[in-house]
Amino acid sequence: MNQIKVFSPATISNVACGFDVLGFPIYSIGDEMIVKKTKKKSLIITDITGYSVPYDINKNVSTIAAKAMIESLNPNCGFDFKINKKIIPGSGIGSSGSSAAASVYAINKLLDSPLNENELISFAMRGEVVSSISEHADNVSPAILGGIVMIKSLSPLEVIKLPTPKDLYCFVINPKIEIKTSFSRKILPNKVKLKDTTKQVSTFGSFIHALHTEDYELIGRSLNDYLIEKHRKKLIPLYDEVKSIAIKQGALGCSISGSGPSIFALTKGVEKANEINRLVTELYKTSGNDFSTYVSKISEKGVSTMSN
Amino acid sequence: MNQIKVFSPATISNVACGFDVLGFPIYSIGDEMIVKKTKKKSLIITDITGYSVPYDINKNVSTIAAKAMIESLNPNCGFDFKINKKIIPGSGIGSSGSSAAASVYAINKLLDSPLNENELISFAMRGEVVSSISEHADNVSPAILGGIVMIKSLSPLEVIKLPTPKDLYCFVINPKIEIKTSFSRKILPNKVKLKDTTKQVSTFGSFIHALHTEDYELIGRSLNDYLIEKHRKKLIPLYDEVKSIAIKQGALGCSISGSGPSIFALTKGVEKANEINRLVTELYKTSGNDFSTYVSKISEKGVSTMSN
C-alpha cells in the first residue's frame, strides 16, 4: 500500500463533568486526508482544501505529529499529505486532534501497523500541543479509539475506553467565531474551591457508573460542570439560551464542547437531538453569527480508512 | 417488638480518591446498641459502656439523630438507649456515623420500618453534623447500606451503591490519638489547584470503572489522593512508614481513613492484609502510641439486628 485516504472524526471533549479527561467522537463531521509514501525521506503537504491551515510542516499539527512518529520509527520513505480540512480550527470540536489522529493513523497503516493505539495517541498528542498550552489527550484519544474515552493519566499515558450506551446521540452547534484553546485556557483560574472539586469528582464518578449501568437518567444528573463552564460561557454568544432550549427539550445535559465556542447536548434517541437542532438553528439565525450544527450518534468508531 | 439490639459497623471514608464522597464498612469493629420503646414520649440514654460519650441527649450523636427522626415521625412512644461504644471517637473510622446509623436503624425497626434507607441516611446525617463542621454522608451511608457507597450529592441526597469486588480486604490501624474532624477539616485549604482537581477527577473515575470491571490492578492505580493526604498525614505518627510497608507488601492502595488518624490499606485477598497487619503492628509498637489494628473483608452488610 502506497497511499491511503482516511476520515478522522470531530470530537467533543470535557463533556461537562470531565474537564481534560473525557471525550467522544461525532461522525457527522471530520477531517479527510490522503497520505502517500514518497521516495524522499521527508514530509510535504502538497494540497490543503477546506479551512486554511499552514503548509509549513513545522506548523501544521498533522505533520508535527507525523514528524515525531517517523523520528521514532525511521522508515525508509517520506510522506506526502493532501488535507481536506473540514473542521474549522478553534471550533472546540477537536479540529487539531482530528488532523493529528488522521496523520498518525495513516502513516501507521502505510507502514504495516508497527504501533498500537496507545502509541498512536502519544504521537498524535505531540501534534496537539502546538494548538494548546499544555499536552492533552481528550480529543486525540476518542478520535483514534472511538467511543467514550477517559484519560486516566497523561504520564504515563493511560486511556480507558468506557461503555457507550446504545441510544446516546449528540447535538452540536459550532458558532463560527474562533476561540483559541490557548486563550480559553488562560481565562481559567489556577485554583478552584475544594467544595467544587468534591462536586466535580462525584458527578464524574456517577457518570462513569451511569455508563456501566446504562442509566440514562443518571447520565442526565451527572452531566454537570462546577469548574469551567462559568468562566468560558461568557465567550459564547447565546450560550444560556441554547442550553435552556436543550434542557427544555429533554436533553440529558448541555455544556461547552472542548474550549468552545461549540456547544453540545446529549440526548437519549435521535428525535430529541433533531428537535433541539431545529429550535437552536431558529434561535441562532437571529444572532448575526454564522454557524453550523450537527447531529450524530455517539459512535464506537474512531479514525478509519475511506475507500478512494 | 419493644426492644432491639443492633450492630453498626465502623466505616472507612474518603478512600484516597473519594474525598467526602466515598466509603465502605468494615465489620471487625462497630458500635452495639440496645434500644427499647418507652411509654414516656422522650429519649433517654440509660447506659454507656466502652468509650466515653455524652449522656446528654442533645450532645450524643445517636439521640440527636433519633430526635430529628421522631420529630418527623411523631411516634406514640419514647426510646431508651443502652450504648456499647466500641469505636473510639475521633478515630477516623466513622465513630459518630456508626452510632447515628445504629440509632436510626433501631428506631425504624421498632416502628415497623416507616422509612427507607435514603431517609435513614438523611436522619443519621443530622446526628453526624455535631461532630463535624459540615454535613457529610460518607460514613453513615456505607454504615446503613453496606458495600462500597458513593455520595452523588448531598442536596438532594443521592447515594449510589457500587459493585464490591469479592476479594477485597481492608487493613486498618487506629493509633489512639484523637484528631477531631472539625480540626482536621480546618487544616485543609479552601482552594486547590485545578491541575490536582483534574487528577482527582480522573483517578476517581477510573476507580469506579475498576469496580465495575473487577479490575484489581486498576483499583490499585486509582487509589490516589492529590488533595488531602499531604495536609493531614502530618498529624499521624509514622504515616509514611506504614504506607511504605503496605505498598511494599502489595497493597492496592493505602491512605488516611476519614479525617485520620486511622490509616487503611486495601488488598486483594486476606493474606496480604494479614501480613501488613503483622508488620505494621511490629513497627507501631516502637512508636510509643497505643493503637488497635483490624483486618476485614469489605462487606456488603450494613447495620444489622443482633440476636440478644
Side-chain angles (χ1 to χ4, degrees):
Chain A
M1 186 161 58
N2 278 313
Q3 178 174 309
I4 189 172
K5 186 176 180 187
V6 301
F7 171 84
S8 184
T11 47
I12 308 294
S13 63
N14 295 348
V15 198
C17 58
F19 173 63
D20 264 3
V21 302
L22 196 63
F24 60 80
I26 52 167
Y27 240 65
S28 36
I29 177 168
D31 288 348
E32 293 173 15
M33 201 176 283
I34 296 169
V35 184
K36 200 166 68 176
K37 278 189 194 170
T38 58
K39 282 189 183 157
K40 201 177 164 197
K41 289 180 73 177
S42 61
L43 301 176
I44 185 167
I45 301 171
T46 51
D47 191 37
I48 294 173
T49 50
Y51 290 106
S52 169
V53 285
Y55 272 91
D56 182 341
I57 63 157
N58 295 309
K59 288 183 180 161
N60 188 300
V61 291
S62 308
T63 40
I64 292 169
K67 209 177 158 194
M69 192 169 163
I70 63 167
E71 270 168 12
S72 165
L73 294 173
N74 196 24
N76 203 18
C77 63
F79 298 93
D80 171 313
F81 296 80
K82 290 180 177 35
I83 301 169
N84 187 354
K85 187 69 200 160
K86 291 197 163 180
I87 312 173
I88 187 169
S91 57
I93 52 172
S95 175
S96 56
S98 171
S99 292
S103 157
V104 297
Y105 174 86
I107 292 177
N108 197 47
K109 282 281 179 196
L110 290 174
L111 297 176
D112 290 331
S113 304
L115 302 181
N116 64 28
E117 284 174 331
N118 238 38
E119 292 165 326
L120 289 183
I121 292 169
S122 288
F123 285 115
M125 283 169 66
R126 304 278 287 279
E128 267 281 65
V129 83
V130 289
S131 70
S132 177
I133 286 176
S134 56
E135 227 173 31
H136 64 119
D138 49 344
N139 290 112
V140 293
S141 302
I144 288 172
L145 297 173
I148 304 177
V149 175
M150 122 170 216
I151 315 305
K152 158 87 175 76
S153 79
L154 280 178
S155 174
L157 180 67
E158 184 174 0
V159 297
I160 296 172
K161 196 163 169 173
L162 298 164
T164 302
K166 287 187 196 81
D167 216 13
L168 212 53
Y169 284 79
C170 185
F171 159 77
V172 188
I173 177 164
N174 170 211
K176 299 289 169 71
I177 53 168
E178 186 175 356
I179 301 179
K180 289 233 183 251
T181 306
S182 53
F183 175 70
S184 62
R185 223 158 241 279
K186 270 183 206 155
I187 65 166
L188 297 182
N190 286 325
K191 288 192 163 191
V192 296
K193 284 185 189 158
L194 180 57
K195 272 192 178 178
D196 289 337
T197 294
T198 304
K199 285 182 191 167
Q200 193 85 3
V201 165
S202 66
T203 205
F204 185 67
S206 66
F207 181 75
I208 305 299
H209 179 75
L211 293 182
H212 277 280
T213 54
E214 208 159 332
D215 181 340
Y216 289 91
E217 286 185 15
L218 185 58
I219 290 174
R221 292 197 301 282
S222 305
L223 286 167
N224 304 310
D225 172 20
Y226 303 95
L227 305 174
I228 304 304
E229 184 185 44
K230 56 190 166 198
H231 301 289
R232 285 184 172 168
K233 72 176 192 175
K234 299 167 198 162
L235 307 174
I236 305 170
L238 296 179
Y239 180 79
D240 286 333
E241 291 80 354
V242 169
K243 182 163 181 164
S244 164
I245 287 174
I247 299 300
K248 222 174 189 170
Q249 294 305 315
L252 299 169
C254 176
S255 193
I256 302 165
S257 174
S259 52
S262 289
I263 307 167
F264 78 95
L266 283 174
T267 60
K268 184 181 180 189
V270 72
E271 295 79 10
K272 279 181 185 162
N274 284 334
E275 183 59 10
I276 292 167
N277 190 5
R278 194 180 68 76
L279 293 169
V280 170
T281 298
E282 243 173 56
L283 168 81
Y284 234 79
K285 278 179 185 163
T286 68
S287 75
N289 291 297
D290 199 10
F291 65 96
S292 297
T293 65
Y294 310 97
V295 166
S296 176
K297 189 166 166 50
I298 299 188
S299 169
E300 292 271 6
K301 209 172 162 188
V303 53
S304 62
T305 308
M306 297 173 84
S307 50
N308 278 293
Chain B
M1 186 162 57
N2 277 312
Q3 179 175 307
I4 189 171
K5 186 176 179 185
V6 300
F7 170 84
S8 184
T11 46
I12 309 294
S13 62
N14 295 349
V15 198
C17 57
F19 173 63
D20 265 4
V21 303
L22 196 63
F24 59 80
I26 51 167
Y27 240 65
S28 37
I29 176 169
D31 289 346
E32 292 173 16
M33 202 177 283
I34 295 169
V35 184
K36 200 166 69 175
K37 277 189 193 170
T38 59
K39 281 189 183 156
K40 201 177 163 196
K41 289 178 74 174
S42 60
L43 302 176
I44 185 167
I45 300 171
T46 53
D47 192 35
I48 294 171
T49 51
Y51 292 105
S52 171
V53 285
Y55 273 91
D56 183 341
I57 62 157
N58 296 310
K59 287 181 181 162
N60 188 300
V61 291
S62 307
T63 39
I64 292 170
K67 209 176 157 193
M69 193 171 162
I70 63 168
E71 270 168 12
S72 165
L73 293 173
N74 196 24
N76 204 18
C77 64
F79 298 94
D80 171 311
F81 296 79
K82 289 179 178 34
I83 300 169
N84 187 355
K85 186 70 201 160
K86 292 196 161 180
I87 312 172
I88 188 168
S91 57
I93 52 171
S95 176
S96 56
S98 171
S99 293
S103 157
V104 298
Y105 174 85
I107 292 177
N108 196 48
K109 283 281 179 195
L110 290 173
L111 297 177
D112 291 332
S113 303
L115 302 182
N116 64 29
E117 285 173 331
N118 237 38
E119 291 164 327
L120 290 183
I121 292 168
S122 288
F123 285 116
M125 283 169 66
R126 305 277 288 278
E128 268 280 66
V129 83
V130 290
S131 69
S132 177
I133 287 176
S134 57
E135 227 173 31
H136 64 120
D138 49 343
N139 291 112
V140 294
S141 303
I144 288 172
L145 297 174
I148 304 177
V149 175
M150 127 173 209
I151 317 303
K152 158 86 174 78
S153 80
L154 282 178
S155 174
L157 180 67
E158 183 172 3
V159 297
I160 296 171
K161 197 164 170 174
L162 298 164
T164 302
K166 287 187 195 83
D167 216 15
L168 212 52
Y169 284 79
C170 185
F171 159 76
V172 188
I173 176 165
N174 169 213
K176 297 291 168 69
I177 53 167
E178 185 175 355
I179 300 178
K180 288 230 184 256
T181 306
S182 53
F183 176 71
S184 62
R185 225 157 241 278
K186 270 182 206 155
I187 65 166
L188 297 181
N190 287 324
K191 289 192 163 189
V192 295
K193 282 184 190 159
L194 181 57
K195 272 193 177 175
D196 289 336
T197 293
T198 304
K199 285 182 190 167
Q200 193 84 4
V201 163
S202 66
T203 204
F204 186 68
S206 65
F207 181 75
I208 305 298
H209 179 75
L211 293 182
H212 277 281
T213 53
E214 208 158 333
D215 181 340
Y216 289 91
E217 286 186 15
L218 185 57
I219 290 175
R221 290 197 303 280
S222 305
L223 286 167
N224 304 310
D225 172 21
Y226 303 94
L227 305 174
I228 305 301
E229 184 184 43
K230 57 189 166 197
H231 301 290
R232 287 185 172 167
K233 71 176 192 175
K234 299 168 196 160
L235 306 173
I236 306 171
L238 297 178
Y239 179 80
D240 286 333
E241 291 81 353
V242 170
K243 182 162 181 166
S244 164
I245 288 174
I247 299 301
K248 222 174 189 169
Q249 293 304 314
L252 299 169
C254 176
S255 192
I256 303 165
S257 174
S259 52
S262 290
I263 307 167
F264 79 94
L266 283 174
T267 61
K268 184 181 179 188
V270 72
E271 296 79 12
K272 279 182 185 161
N274 284 334
E275 185 59 11
I276 292 168
N277 190 7
R278 194 180 68 76
L279 294 169
V280 170
T281 297
E282 244 173 55
L283 168 81
Y284 234 79
K285 278 180 186 162
T286 69
S287 75
N289 291 297
D290 200 8
F291 65 96
S292 297
T293 64
Y294 310 97
V295 167
S296 176
K297 189 167 164 51
I298 299 190
S299 169
E300 291 269 8
K301 210 172 160 187
V303 53
S304 62
T305 308
M306 298 174 82
S307 51
N308 278 292

